[in-house]
Amino acid sequence: QVQLVESGGGLVQPGGSLRLSCVASGSIVSIVTMGWYRQAPGKEREMVATISSDGNTNYVDSVKGRFTIAREHAKNTGYLQMNNLKPEDTAVYYCNADLREIWRGRMNYWGKGTLVTVSS
């Protein structure tokens, strides 16, 4: 069993910054890919950023140049640094991990989400 816990959401003004954290814990052998997804009001969930075990990153076009995904492999922790936030970034942000679990093999887990609100 693996748990993902997000933190760092909150209310921020346009142009501000936030850093989200995702801590994975449990029977983890290794995390293959960690990613951040978001769901805005009235919209479907979308991929924001992912980072693979080899360090390759991928971003949705709307956040390129503003968001940075990172990881601390030894801590099974991922981060999403969000700069120059815009109102359209308002959403619940979810952490996702594609990982190898000790007895169960390849598994996928989601966190419960953290709310980011960008408003003046």
Side-chain angles (χ1 to χ4, degrees):
Q1 184 64 42
V2 171
Q3 298 78 228
L4 305 181
V5 179
E6 305 101 330
S7 62
L11 175 64
V12 64
Q13 294 184 351
S17 298
L18 286 173
R19 189 182 75 161
L20 306 183
S21 298
C22 174
V23 179
S25 62
S27 53
I28 301 168
V29 175
S30 63
I31 297 177
V32 179
T33 302
M34 181 169 283
W36 290 93
Y37 296 72
R38 67 186 180 187
Q39 187 164 19
K43 302 291 291 184
E44 294 185 345
R45 184 166 56 186
E46 68 172 347
M47 186 276 290
V48 178
T50 62
I51 184 166
S52 62
S53 57
D54 60 7
N56 287 331
T57 58
N58 189 28
Y59 299 90
V60 66
D61 286 344
S62 61
V63 309
K64 289 180 178 178
R66 300 189 297 119
F67 291 10
T68 303
I69 188 169
R71 62 188 172 98
E72 291 187 65
H73 186 264
K75 294 183 177 181
N76 288 325
T77 300
Y79 304 94
L80 184 68
Q81 178 67 47
M82 306 185 294
N83 298 325
N84 192 24
L85 283 160
K86 304 176 183 297
E88 51 263 43
D89 296 318
T90 296
V92 177
Y93 284 71
Y94 298 91
C95 180
N96 175 264
D98 185 33
L99 52 82
R100 295 184 176 94
E101 195 169 343
I102 292 176
W103 288 105
R104 303 177 72 181
R106 193 71 169 263
M107 299 290 289
N108 187 273
Y109 288 91
W110 290 91
K112 294 182 178 179
T114 184
L115 177 63
V116 172
T117 302
V118 184
S119 177
S120 59

